[in-house]
Each structure stands twice: as structure tokens, then as C-alpha cells.
Amino acid sequence: MLRTLRLPLLASLLAFGALTSCNKDDSDGLMVIAHDESVYMRNMHEGMAMMEAMPKTGDPDNDYSTMMIMHHQIAIKNSQEELKSGKSAEMKAMAQSIIDKQLAEITQFNAFLAGHPAHAPAVPEFNALQMMNMMQMMKAVDLRPLTGDPDFDFAQLMIDHHQAAVENSDALLKYGRENATKTLAQQIITDQKMEIKMLQDFLLANKKY
């Protein structure tokens, strides 16, 4: 009888030891927070809801301009949060630069829209590509392990946000018809690719795992 009790007891002790060992290893690794605890993520999801609800005209230059205004507004809100909550001078400088550049670009997009009524022929291929890029952005940010460190999380999410802007700008260069929007798109590609590299360098220098 004693022998039959010893084996289950030994197995239980071994299992408990393995569990506590696993928890200890986890505590030494990457610490994460729930996404709904992140102001940055809440801003991203609110912005995505606005972009999904955006009426489409079928005119690629107009729809690019309208969506990029909304897309820029997300970046500005998250950059303002970084200025408020961040500790890194490098990331706060990046946030201020993003605010300055993207407010100026919003002014240019609004000026374009004011003088450019949407017109045929419609280009549904552009709208499909534009929304696919936005959905891919949200999948990317939803997969990010957020740490609760405002500087680190700002850098992670801004990379994905910028990548979507680059891809939408590439789509505009392919399907757009107006020199004004194509010039803006090329400038966004150049600026945001450079910023993506700076953000990646920051993450590599401040790894959490």
C-alpha cells in the first residue's frame, strides 16, 4: 500500500518542481502587458476603425489623401503620448519630428483635396490594396509583445505604422494620377524608411530579452 502511494506522490513533486522552475525562467524573460492596457494600441485600433469606415471615392489620389490624413492622426496621437510618457530623449525627439512633419503633410493633403474633386475612372485595385496594407499593419501590431515601457512600445508600433504608410505610398505611385500626391508619397517613403531604420536601431540598442 505504501509503495503504491509513493509513486503518485513522487510524480506530483516532480511536476510541481518543473512548474516552479518554468515560472522562474519566465520571470527572467520578456515581461509583457495586455494590449488593452496600452494607450498606443487603443489609438491604433480607434484609428483603424475610422479608416475602415472611410467612404471610398474610387479616385486613388483622393482616397490616398483622405486615408493618409487619418493615418497621420494616429501617428500624431501616439507621438503626443510619447512626449507625455516617454523617458528616452531620442524617442521624444523622434516623436516631435513625426508631429512636425505629419502636421505639415496633413495641411498639404487637405489643400489637395480642397482643389481636387474625385473623378472617374474609379480604380478599385488601389482601394483593395490600400485596405490590405492597413489590415496587415493591424495584424503586425496585434502580434507585438508590448512591455509597458513607453519608449520601447512607441518604437515597436511606429515601425509597423510607418511600414503601412510606405506600402500605401508605393501603391499610390503605381495607381495615382496626380503629380501633387505622387510627390508627397515619394517624400513619405523617403522620410519614413529612414525613421524605420532609426526606430529599429533604438530597439536593438534597448532590447528587452
Side-chain angles (χ1 to χ4, degrees), residues 64-82:
Y64 170 75
S65 299
T66 302
M67 185 169 283
M68 286 305 295
I69 289 170
M70 296 179 185
H71 197 255
H72 277 12
Q73 287 169 343
I74 303 169
I76 289 167
K77 285 182 74 172
N78 276 353
S79 296
Q80 289 169 336
E81 180 62 30
E82 169 61 20

Side-chain angles (χ1 to χ4, degrees), residues 103-117:
L103 282 174
E105 288 166 359
I106 286 173
T107 298
Q108 291 175 274
F109 281 126
N110 278 324
F112 172 80
L113 288 169
H116 186 274

Side-chain angles (χ1 to χ4, degrees), residues 142-189:
D142 283 339
L143 288 170
R144 288 284 188 182
L146 300 183
T147 67
D149 179 322
D151 304 303
F152 195 84
D153 292 345
F154 171 74
Q156 289 195 92
L157 297 178
M158 198 56 70
I159 287 171
D160 298 324
H161 189 269
H162 274 15
Q163 186 59 41
V166 169
E167 289 167 358
N168 271 349
S169 298
D170 280 334
L172 189 278
L173 293 179
K174 179 177 180 180
Y175 290 108
R177 300 183 285 234
E178 302 294 331
N179 287 334
T181 48
K182 287 187 173 184
T183 299
L184 256 173
Q186 187 57 65
Q187 187 60 53
I188 287 168
I189 291 168

